[in-house]
């Protein structure tokens, strides 16, 4: 079982993000919002992250939030359907509230 996080698991291009946004298939909780595509035609899920400066002014705060989400995805991607996901951070979270962010992410990324 490969636990890496190579480029094949990331949404990098604007077209990839746009196709997921166009479907408007989204779920939200207090801290996070997850947009999901239908089957992406690949045999594995991919993820894109959005953490705006409006959410967290400092880069190290934004990077911490992205790191937590990427780590959760890396450890749980074998249980996810082969869809494209975009995770948008709605409210900032820190080390004290990261466990809640992980719980919300697990709930939002469940198979529908």
């Amino acid at each position: 079982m490969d636990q890496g996080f190579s480029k094949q698991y990331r949404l990098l291009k604007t077209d990839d993000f746009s196709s997921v946004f166009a479907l408007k298939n989204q779920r939200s909780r207090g801290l996070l919002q997850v947009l999901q595509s239908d089957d992406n035609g690949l045999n594995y899920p991919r993820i894109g992250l959005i953490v705006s400066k409006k959410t967290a002014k400092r880069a190290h705060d934004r990077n911490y939030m992205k790191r937590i989400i990427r780590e959760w995805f890396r450890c749980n991607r074998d249980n996810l359907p082969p869809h494209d996901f975009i995770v948008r951070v709605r409210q900032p979270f820190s080390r004290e509230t990261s466990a809640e962010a992980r719980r919300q992410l697990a709930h939002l990324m469940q198979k529908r």
Side-chain angles (χ1 to χ4, degrees):
M1 176 168 46
D2 177 28
Q3 287 293 317
F5 189 65
S6 62
K7 279 192 175 185
Q8 72 179 8
Y9 297 110
R10 303 178 205 172
L11 294 177
L12 299 173
K13 298 183 178 171
T14 303
D15 292 342
D16 295 336
F17 277 84
S18 297
S19 65
V20 177
F21 281 124
L23 293 173
K24 294 184 171 68
N25 186 3
Q26 66 181 5
R27 298 169 79 183
S28 295
R29 287 283 174 143
L31 299 173
L32 304 170
Q33 176 184 32
V34 174
L35 293 95
Q36 179 179 347
S37 73
D38 294 328
D39 193 347
N40 63 11
L42 307 170
N43 290 330
Y44 52 85
R46 297 187 302 173
I47 190 168
L49 302 173
I50 300 173
V51 184
S52 69
K53 285 185 181 178
K54 186 176 182 181
T55 302
K57 298 281 188 235
R58 300 208 172 256
H60 66 87
D61 293 332
R62 294 191 303 274
N63 292 338
Y64 175 77
M65 290 183 258
K66 289 188 278 188
R67 193 175 315 119
I68 294 296
I69 296 167
R70 277 195 307 264
E71 180 68 13
W72 184 92
F73 177 80
R74 188 184 65 78
C75 294
N76 293 284
R77 72 169 176 249
D78 294 333
N79 302 325
L80 296 173
H83 297 169
D84 290 341
F85 297 95
I86 296 176
V87 179
R88 177 184 285 159
V89 177
R90 296 176 53 188
Q91 297 292 321
F93 57 89
S94 63
R95 283 173 172 62
E96 293 80 28
T97 56
S98 65
E100 177 60 25
R102 287 184 187 100
R103 276 193 295 278
Q104 288 184 16
L105 188 58
H107 184 267
L108 293 171
M109 300 278 268
Q110 287 176 349
K111 294 181 184 177
R112 300 178 201 189

